[in-house]
Amino acid sequence: MTLTLATLRECYVFESTPQRGNLAALHVPFDQLTGNDRTETRLLGAVHRNEPSAVVGASGSGKSSVIAHVLNPVTEGVAPLLVPVAAMPAITVDTPAHLVDHLVATVSRHAHAAMDVDAELANRTRTVIRTRRGALGAGWGWIRGDLAREVRHQTQIERTASFADKTDVLIRILEAIAADELRPVLVFDDTDRWLGIERADLVQQFFGESLRWLLDLGAGVVVAVHHAYFSIAPQVDLLQYLDTQITIPKLTDPASISSIITRRIERFAAIHEPDLAHVIADDALVAIHDVYAKTSSLRRAIHVSHTAVHEALDTGDTRLTANHIIAADNAG
């Protein structure tokens, strides 16, 4: 395939909100971009040491991508349990009594889905490709076979069971995962979508009582944290139960933007080692980096680039320049 501006548009290279399954593949490690080991390497070490961890940064800065890169289904010896909270009512995480219901239901749902996949594969009614994109959510590929059946069995409890009984069930589930030579890690990577500063009480409840209860379960814990929360309480107080605290670094060089775009072209357009200069001028890379530097959001920089590509093509241009980026940024 020839690399053109049309290719960037048609292949959705500047997709600003990729599906979670693509996050790890698209991610260019900050350790690589910054030349140190303070982000992905540090998080992976904390996970293997079972240290509860926070990944701190603004919305769109790369928190979810870092977590997806480090905690993916092929990370050796690790079983990430992705706990969705963004689309859930606030009551889901405001107390341990509510959170235990959400955790058990989440694990049960994925165990059941894994059993369905196994059954369909056994009947040869599903292709391998479909299985990878099917009922199992991204990050849950580790749950399968006997482990899925054991987890599903453990989660079959009465709705009226007590909080203590439900907690015991959850602990047994985590023990079953550990018995399969996997380290269970509870992952909350979308908290900044609704644990907003307008809900200061909820933020403090989650990072206080609920988080303290989670740590008593014995599993690893990784939480994405929006730095705006520190206007509610100082970081040292709010994150007192999260021993390892990793702040997403700022990228200071437009070359980082080049590396990120190159990875996206390779992933979405299947063009190996693309010649960016053919379609993106150096001043455009600087302008994209300026958008990022202004907002601390890679997501915003990618979105602006997407708009700029469309506008450039609409005017008959074949190469993205700083003028296109600036115009797209000013358009909002």
Side-chain angles (χ1 to χ4, degrees), residues 79-318:
L81 289 79
L82 278 71
V83 185
V85 295
M88 301 295 163
I91 195 175
T92 302
V93 299
D94 63 344
T95 66
H98 291 140
L99 187 53
V100 70
D101 286 332
H102 183 46
L103 290 172
V104 171
T106 298
V107 176
S108 176
R109 182 172 66 254
H110 285 285
H112 189 80
M115 292 171 62
D116 288 345
V117 168
D118 287 344
E120 292 193 36
L121 283 175
N123 293 328
R124 301 179 181 274
T125 60
R126 176 173 288 198
T127 66
V128 172
I129 292 177
R130 186 179 173 188
T131 298
R132 289 175 180 166
R133 297 177 180 175
L136 288 180
W140 288 82
W142 53 268
I143 190 167
R144 59 196 182 275
D146 291 341
L147 177 57
R149 287 187 286 275
E150 173 63 18
V151 169
R152 177 61 177 165
H153 172 70
Q154 292 288 355
T155 58
Q156 293 176 339
I157 58 176
E158 296 293 332
R159 289 179 178 271
T160 57
S162 68
F163 168 67
D165 287 340
K166 293 175 182 177
T167 299
D168 286 342
V169 166
L170 188 54
I171 290 173
R172 288 199 297 272
I173 290 170
L174 297 174
E175 289 174 344
I177 295 170
D180 205 43
E181 299 184 351
L182 294 170
R183 183 184 300 280
V185 182
L186 298 166
V187 181
F188 299 82
D189 82 339
D190 59 354
T191 58
D192 64 347
R193 297 186 185 181
W194 63 270
L195 288 178
I197 57 175
E198 71 278 2
R199 291 301 310 274
D201 56 339
L202 180 58
V203 173
Q204 292 180 315
Q205 287 166 347
F206 176 76
F207 287 97
E209 182 185 9
S210 293
L211 189 53
R212 185 170 64 246
W213 170 77
L214 284 172
L215 299 183
D216 288 339
L217 298 176
V221 176
V222 174
V223 184
V225 182
H226 197 295
H227 55 55
Y229 295 166
F230 305 143
S231 65
I232 297 172
Q235 181 171 350
V236 66
D237 295 331
L238 195 67
L239 306 186
Q240 62 180 307
Y241 300 121
L242 297 169
D243 296 335
T244 298
Q245 299 173 20
I246 298 166
T247 299
I248 297 296
K250 291 295 292 289
L251 301 176
T252 59
D253 190 339
S256 300
I257 299 298
S258 177
S259 297
I260 292 169
I261 295 174
T262 295
R263 176 67 59 85
R264 284 172 160 265
I265 292 172
E266 291 178 337
R267 175 70 175 177
F268 287 135
I271 299 175
H272 183 60
E273 296 183 353
D275 180 10
L276 284 189
H278 184 64
V279 292
I280 304 177
D282 288 343
D283 66 352
L285 294 173
V286 172
I288 296 170
H289 182 268
D290 288 344
V291 173
Y292 161 72
K294 179 176 61 177
T295 62
S296 298
S297 174
L298 286 169
R299 185 186 303 137
R300 170 64 182 170
I302 294 297
H303 175 73
V304 167
S305 301
H306 174 78
T307 302
V309 167
H310 279 260
E311 293 180 351
L313 287 169
D314 289 345
T315 56
D317 294 324
T318 60

